[in-house]
Amino acid sequence: MQTVPTKNFLRVLLWVIAIIGIWAIPVTVQQANALEIVIWQSKRFQIVGLFALVSIFSLWIVNTSLLDRLAKKIDDIHKSTALGVALVIIGFLLVWVVRLYAFGNILPQTVPIIWVFLLASLLQTYGIKRINPKLSWYAVFICIVLFQGVLYQTYGLFRIVSSDPFSVGYSEAGRFYYASMFFSESIYGIKLPLPFLHPSRYLLLSLPFLIKDPTLASLRFWQSFLWFALTLSASFSLVNRFKLDGWSKAAAIAWIFLYFLQGAVYYHLQVCVFLIFIGISVKNNWRSLFFIILASVWAGISRVNWFPVPAMLAIAIYLLETPLNHKGWKYWITPFVWGIVGVGSALIAQFIYISISGNVDVSAFGSSFTSDLIWSRLLPNETYPVGIFPAIVIVSLPLWIALYQLIKNNIQNLHPLRWLALLAMLLILFAGGLVVSTKIGGGGDLHNMDAYMVLLGLLTMSLWMNQLSAEDARVELSRNEAKPVLGKISWGVVFMAILIPLWFAIPKIGFFHSYDKTIAEQDVQKIQTVVTQTLQTGGRVLFITERQMLTFDIVNELQLIPEYEQTELMEMAMSRNRFYLEQFYSDLSNHRFDLIVAEKQKNNPKKEGSFWEEDYAWVHYVGAPFLCYYEAVDQITSNNIYFFVPRTENLSCSNPFGE
């Protein structure tokens, strides 16, 4: 990036503050109307006025000579350590106080808090300049924004950690049941099939079960740690490929960390990213091949759309760092072999895992291929208001502009076929991510665009750090290595590239999860009492939801019935797995279970709102048949848990498959 004069730094920052301030006004008014607050009779009127005044003042500064005088004045800043430290602390606390205490309950949207964050960051930048006037404004500002963004994301990852025995959100704690399946004999006394959904994710989550009697809180902490540690490791492994040190390296790692968590790239997939970035060397094909196989094997037990990704990342590194130099078709032997070996390794790994998993119905592993595609989720919708396509364009636009600025005058330094291959892989992953994002059950964020984002991040970082080799015939060689002279990324683009990831980090600021321990203990005791009474009469108990209570012995004296956990049922409903669901209907009609613990069920699905298509699939294939044979007799209102028993007289039941 080119050196940024103070005037340019201020101009871009003030323009952004003005734009976001103006944007925050209708957002605030809209929220006031939603809460039935009369805007001019509440403190929101003061907030709206502040947004307007600061925005107008910012626009006035950038369009007058005052900007030149202000830039000159702050360039002549004098050292004042005490004042600087005070301003840094005040700026840091300001965002937390506003978010958590001042307006958090009435301004939950991101836009107003981003506006406060920018003003606070400018205040902190001024404070650090007071401590050390020799530092450049833009470098200090970048570090402040990035490091605080990492702090917000990290805080958000860990604030879910608690001892709450109930799931926090949809089947949150139920994930730990799937992790426990790798140690089922020691935990439940029976051998369970291994999970068919995201095996590598649950394999990583299962590691605390190597320790005797882990707690639910410790598993929650472990999952948060995996998010943090594996994302940070992948970020470090990418940046470590380049010649950076000191604060520049730390800032680059921080940016990649935030960039990865925009999607987000799930932690179990970061293992593939980490292995490729630390292992690929265009000077050592055997080492590279080993790490491609290793990463692809892991991808093979992760997600089917990630099967080719390790090889594609490796091939991208090869294309960037290896000139064609008139080698002709021989140049493509290496990427061809890497691609075949990578995809082949993933397929073999999946085949072996399926073979040893113990799952009778292997069609469950292909549930994603029979699920509906909801194309409307590509554009703004109730499930994801921004829409997948606009959101990924916004996220990746600064990187594409940066790439253009870097290569616009030097595109000839790489052979056209190398550019074509890189662009083709990006477009394939982009299109593939869009298709996967429309699968029912997804489309609520950008996590299915993960592979595209990783490859685009690799390409941008490589060109920014000039980690590419040009064609020998077109440049003057230096030390037997051709390095083209690339362009510079403008300050405005850099500002966009660091601000957009902050949009995903700021909402992570919130209170740690809390719950009423007394009520939770009473609820657990009630579940235990109902379960014990059923067992004493020789009955069988099925936990569809809250199965972690059996994993961690919160509810005891109960033999696990492994079928029909909520997440599994949801996947089977969305993929219309007839073999699985008709077995479920058979068990319901035969009243196999004397007590079922599950969330409230309904006969009529909602016709609009967030994830209404998923709700329809659940009600049609699970909820309605369930209520046909079972009825609720009691409930735990604090956690939406109901107790269901067989109906004495079955209702008139129709086949969900239409026969």
Side-chain angles (χ1 to χ4, degrees):
M1 189 187 79
Q2 59 190 8
T3 301
V4 182
T6 302
K7 179 180 176 180
N8 291 351
F9 163 77
L10 288 174
R11 178 186 289 114
V12 171
L13 181 57
L14 290 172
W15 265 110
V16 173
I17 288 174
I19 292 170
I20 295 179
I22 294 170
W23 185 4
I25 294 174
V27 169
T28 305
V29 173
Q30 182 183 28
Q31 179 67 7
N33 294 336
L35 295 175
E36 299 181 351
I37 297 174
V38 181
I39 190 70
W40 56 83
Q41 295 179 357
S42 71
K43 64 180 179 180
R44 281 174 173 268
F45 182 74
Q46 300 171 4
I47 300 171
V48 171
L50 184 62
F51 290 151
L53 285 175
V54 175
S55 298
I56 293 172
F57 185 64
S58 299
L59 291 175
W60 177 65
I61 291 176
V62 298
N63 287 286
T64 65
S65 60
L66 182 60
L67 180 63
D68 294 288
R69 296 199 299 271
L70 182 61
K72 185 177 185 305
K73 185 174 181 61
I74 63 177
D75 275 337
D76 297 332
I77 195 171
H78 298 292
K79 184 174 182 178
S80 177
T81 303
L83 176 61
V85 171
L87 292 175
V88 170
I89 294 174
I90 292 172
F92 174 79
L93 294 177
L94 181 62
V95 177
W96 293 84
V97 170
V98 170
R99 179 70 174 175
L100 297 179
Y101 299 102
F103 306 113
N105 61 331
I106 60 172
L107 284 180
Q109 293 90 344
T110 303
V111 175
I113 306 302
I114 282 283
W115 186 81
V116 173
F117 172 81
L118 288 176
L119 291 176
S121 297
L122 182 58
L123 189 66
Q124 290 173 287
T125 303
Y126 181 76
I128 291 180
K129 282 285 288 182
R130 277 286 191 168
I131 298 172
N132 186 350
K134 294 182 179 180
L135 298 174
S136 61
W137 283 93
Y138 75 93
V140 173
F141 183 81
I142 288 173
C143 289
I144 285 174
V145 170
L146 291 178
F147 296 153
Q148 288 186 125
V150 170
L151 176 62
Y152 299 157
Q153 279 285 12
T154 303
Y155 175 85
L157 293 174
F158 283 93
R159 71 185 178 95
I160 195 67
V161 177
S162 78
S163 299
D164 191 341
F166 294 92
S167 288
V168 182
Y170 180 78
S171 199
E172 174 266 339
R175 299 189 188 104
F176 305 123
Y177 160 72
Y178 287 100
S180 73
M181 295 170 77
F182 290 94
F183 299 91
S184 59
E185 288 185 275
S186 62
I187 297 173
Y188 307 107
I190 57 175
K191 185 173 179 59
L192 299 179
L194 299 179
F196 68 89
L197 284 172
H198 316 299
S200 63
R201 179 181 185 179
Y202 295 125
L203 179 59
L204 288 173
L205 273 181
S206 73
L207 296 181
F209 288 105
L210 292 170
I211 304 172
K212 185 178 180 180
D213 299 328
T215 64
L216 180 54
S218 69
L219 264 292
R220 283 181 169 130
F221 177 85
W222 175 244
Q223 178 171 245
S224 299
F225 179 77
L226 287 174
W227 271 109
F228 171 76
L230 291 178
T231 304
L232 184 63
S233 296
S235 305
F236 178 83
S237 65
L238 173 57
V239 175
N240 201 48
R241 296 185 63 86
F242 312 123
K243 296 178 180 178
L244 281 171
D245 53 25
W247 288 105
S248 297
K249 185 171 186 176
I253 293 172
W255 180 77
I256 290 292
F257 181 87
L258 294 173
Y259 174 77
F260 281 157
L261 287 175
Q262 290 176 114
V265 183
Y266 273 69
Y267 56 83
H268 59 297
L269 300 174
Q270 293 285 15
V271 174
C272 301
V273 178
F274 174 77
L275 289 173
I276 292 300
F277 288 161
I278 67 166
I280 298 302
S281 171
V282 296
K283 297 179 181 179
N284 191 332
N285 283 336
W286 288 110
R287 169 184 162 176
S288 298
L289 198 60
F290 171 77
F291 277 94
I292 290 171
I293 293 173
L294 204 59
S296 298
V297 166
W298 187 261
I301 60 170
S302 298
R303 293 178 63 190
V304 65
N305 57 308
W306 265 69
F307 283 13
V309 174
M312 293 176 80
L313 293 175
I315 291 170
I317 294 173
Y318 174 86
L319 292 169
L320 288 166
E321 299 182 9
T322 308
L324 198 146
N325 289 345
H326 308 293
K327 295 177 183 176
W329 63 269
K330 293 182 179 179
Y331 177 84
W332 303 101
I333 293 177
T334 296
F336 177 78
V337 170
W338 285 3
I340 295 297
V341 170
V343 175
S345 299
L347 290 170
I348 292 171
Q350 186 192 51
F351 175 78
I352 293 174
Y353 179 82
I354 293 174
S355 301
I356 66 175
S357 69
N359 286 275
V360 176
D361 180 17
V362 297
S363 65
F365 287 90
S367 61
S368 58
F369 295 105
T370 58
S371 300
D372 290 336
L373 299 180
I374 307 170
W375 295 103
S376 61
R377 291 191 179 170
L378 292 180
L379 299 177
N381 60 89
E382 292 179 292
T383 298
Y384 191 40
V386 180
I388 297 297
F389 184 78
I392 191 59
V393 168
I394 292 171
V395 165
S396 54
L397 183 61
L399 278 69
W400 281 106
I401 297 175
L403 288 174
Y404 170 76
Q405 291 181 340
L406 287 167
I407 66 174
K408 63 180 178 180
N409 296 320
N410 300 278
I411 194 170
Q412 73 280 1
N413 287 319
L414 263 67
H415 194 282
L417 289 179
R418 293 167 68 187
W419 285 124
L420 182 63
L422 289 168
L423 182 61
M425 289 193 296
L426 275 172
L427 293 178
I428 288 171
L429 293 181
F430 181 80
L434 289 179
V435 172
V436 176
S437 294
T438 66
K439 174 188 172 297
I440 186 172
D445 55 30
L446 293 177
H447 81 270
N448 286 312
M449 301 301 300
D450 47 11
Y452 160 77
M453 290 179 62
V454 172
L455 182 56
L456 181 60
L458 166 65
L459 185 58
T460 305
M461 286 293 295
S462 296
L463 266 66
W464 177 51
M465 294 306 303
N466 207 4
Q467 188 71 16
L468 70 161
S469 297
E471 301 302 315
D472 291 354
R474 304 188 184 195
V475 297
E476 183 180 351
L477 294 181
S478 174
R479 297 182 181 178
N480 299 319
E481 186 175 9
K483 293 290 184 183
V485 178
L486 299 179
K488 301 292 184 180
I489 305 175
S490 66
W491 166 239
V493 175
V494 172
F495 195 96
M496 289 173 58
I498 64 172
L499 182 61
I500 291 174
L502 256 294
W503 221 275
F504 294 81
I506 286 285
K508 303 297 182 180
I509 302 175
F511 292 104
F512 268 76
H513 174 72
S514 62
Y515 67 104
D516 191 312
K517 188 174 182 180
T518 301
I519 293 178
E521 289 176 349
Q522 293 172 353
D523 290 344
V524 170
Q525 185 56 48
K526 183 174 183 178
I527 295 174
Q528 181 68 69
T529 299
V530 175
V531 167
T532 301
Q533 290 173 350
T534 304
L535 295 176
Q536 287 174 346
T537 60
R540 306 189 70 186
V541 181
L542 171 68
F543 271 68
I544 287 180
T545 189
E546 305 299 337
R547 198 168 284 191
Q548 76 282 351
M549 291 190 171
L550 310 183
T551 303
F552 298 99
D553 208 27
I554 299 169
V555 173
N556 48 46
E557 302 177 1
L558 179 63
Q559 178 65 50
L560 170 70
I561 297 175
E563 299 92 344
Y564 313 132
E565 195 276 334
Q566 181 171 258
T567 303
E568 182 180 291
L569 271 172
M570 184 76 249
E571 185 69 21
M572 294 301 103
M574 292 189 300
S575 62
R576 300 184 298 278
N577 188 313
R578 189 161 186 167
F579 175 85
Y580 179 96
L581 291 171
E582 289 194 337
Q583 182 62 52
F584 177 57
Y585 304 150
S586 175
D587 287 338
L588 292 176
S589 64
N590 293 328
H591 292 165
R592 175 186 171 189
F593 316 110
D594 299 280
L595 175 70
I596 297 179
V597 180
E599 293 182 352
K600 182 180 180 180
Q601 303 298 313
K602 57 184 180 180
N603 282 305
N604 299 313
K606 60 182 181 180
K607 300 296 177 64
E608 59 183 5
S610 178
F611 291 106
W612 73 264
E613 294 91 345
E614 288 79 0
D615 182 71
Y616 177 86
W618 177 270
V619 173
H620 184 74
Y621 290 107
V622 178
F626 184 13
L627 291 176
C628 190
Y629 300 107
Y630 282 76
E631 62 181 337
V633 293
D634 203 353
Q635 66 180 107
I636 297 175
T637 56
S638 62
N639 284 283
N640 192 32
I641 303 300
Y642 284 70
F643 301 104
F644 295 86
V645 298
R647 291 184 181 274
T648 54
E649 293 184 4
N650 291 336
L651 303 178
S652 177
C653 304
S654 60
N655 190 315
F657 289 97
E659 296 179 2

